[in-house]
Amino acid sequence: MKYLLAFIICFKIFEMGAQESYDATGLSFNLNSSININSKYSLKPAVKGRYVSLINKTDGLERIEEKSQRIDLQMALEKRLKSTTKIAVGALHRFSDAQNATRFFEQLGWVKNTNSNITFIHRINSDQTFRGIDDIEIRLRYRFGISLPLEGYNLNSNEKYFLAYTEILGKHRNPDFTNEVRLKLVIGKLMKGGSKAELGIDIRYDNPFDGIRERLYLLDLAYYFNLN
């Protein structure tokens, strides 16, 4: 609980530093699956989508589109380095009502078990996004999260779990450097066969310390299919 409180306090600090800003609300979904190639390698296909309505909250801002829709088709190749550590590379193509994009990404993730039923989750991710004739956008991301079962010490089939994470992103598209901070709270259920269903709240702040700031609040639906 103290880790969750720390996440919330950080976001309250960002709130106090607001300048020009606007809010956005919406719905996102995430369909993931995993296909084992052998004991070390697996394919990770995914379909992701988002619908967002933007609400202008500050007078004098430039015109903001009233809606934004996107669908991502993604494929990754993951390698298990050891039981707690994995690396992955992949790509996605985004179909958007604003501008289509192609993104390549590289990822390192690991978990750390504790003496309690809490698991610490770490992930470092870099990606490169191409949009038409625009300059390439390069991002670096770090995620820290915690997960714990809600019905006992260990997570078993047909039991629920809680997941919380915070993520910090640095972005560069010539000539600008920007940043983003995210917080996500999730209630999930482990199904029979290893599939998972999740319902979460995803909060994202662009440029929390300076400039025009976007606050994005998403209701997130996710399902992870275990095809092995």
Side-chain angles (χ1 to χ4, degrees):
M1 184 60 68
K2 64 182 179 180
Y3 301 103
L4 176 58
L5 290 175
F7 294 157
I8 295 173
I9 290 171
C10 288
F11 274 81
K12 289 299 181 181
I13 293 174
F14 299 147
E15 187 76 25
M16 294 169 60
Q19 297 181 28
E20 291 181 318
S21 65
Y22 59 90
D23 287 348
T25 61
L27 176 70
S28 62
F29 71 86
N30 190 341
L31 302 175
N32 276 274
S33 60
S34 180
I35 305 170
N36 288 338
I37 300 175
N38 53 38
S39 60
K40 287 189 176 182
Y41 290 92
S42 60
L43 290 174
K44 304 286 186 178
V47 179
K48 303 178 181 181
R50 191 171 85 181
Y51 176 87
V52 173
S53 295
L54 301 177
I55 306 171
N56 194 338
K57 288 295 186 182
T58 302
D59 293 336
L61 289 180
E62 295 181 359
R63 179 178 177 273
I64 299 172
E65 294 295 330
E66 293 184 354
K67 64 179 181 179
S68 177
Q69 302 177 67
R70 64 173 62 167
I71 296 289
D72 295 346
L73 302 180
Q74 178 178 302
M75 178 64 74
L77 175 64
E78 182 180 84
K79 180 180 180 181
R80 182 186 298 272
L81 299 181
K82 53 183 180 179
S83 61
T84 58
T85 307
K86 298 176 181 179
I87 59 172
V89 295
L92 67 82
H93 186 74
R94 171 168 296 160
F95 301 91
S96 171
D97 62 351
Q99 186 177 20
N100 293 349
T102 299
R103 174 176 294 163
F104 301 95
F105 59 89
E106 307 79 35
Q107 180 176 297
L108 168 66
W110 69 99
V111 299
K112 180 176 177 57
N113 296 318
T114 66
N115 294 326
S116 67
N117 60 348
I118 295 176
T119 299
F120 294 148
I121 305 167
H122 303 270
R123 190 175 77 179
I124 299 173
N125 182 293
S126 62
D127 58 57
Q128 307 81 40
T129 304
F130 301 84
R131 298 181 179 90
I133 62 173
D134 291 350
D135 288 331
I136 181 175
E137 180 183 62
I138 299 174
R139 306 190 307 173
L140 182 63
R141 307 159 56 182
Y142 169 70
R143 174 187 293 185
F144 170 74
I146 60 172
S147 68
L148 70 156
L150 296 178
E151 302 178 42
Y153 192 86
N154 296 310
L155 181 62
N156 300 307
S157 295
N158 289 322
E159 291 186 351
K160 297 181 179 64
Y161 58 90
F162 173 75
L163 171 66
Y165 72 75
T166 183
E167 190 168 36
I168 301 173
L169 294 82
K171 310 176 189 180
H172 171 63
R173 182 192 294 176
N174 189 38
D176 299 322
F177 288 90
T178 58
N179 56 82
E180 182 180 343
V181 179
R182 300 176 179 177
L183 172 68
K184 190 170 183 179
L185 306 175
V186 174
I187 297 294
K189 184 174 182 179
L190 178 64
M191 318 294 284
K192 287 184 177 180
S195 296
K196 296 186 294 183
E198 294 183 349
L199 174 64
I201 299 174
D202 192 348
I203 305 170
R204 304 183 179 190
Y205 283 1
D206 267 344
N207 296 313
F209 297 110
D210 57 10
I212 296 176
R213 189 188 66 187
E214 174 186 341
R215 295 171 295 199
L216 176 58
Y217 307 93
L218 294 170
L219 178 64
D220 186 68
L221 308 174
Y223 197 88
Y224 299 86
F225 297 92
N226 186 1
L227 302 179
N228 300 303

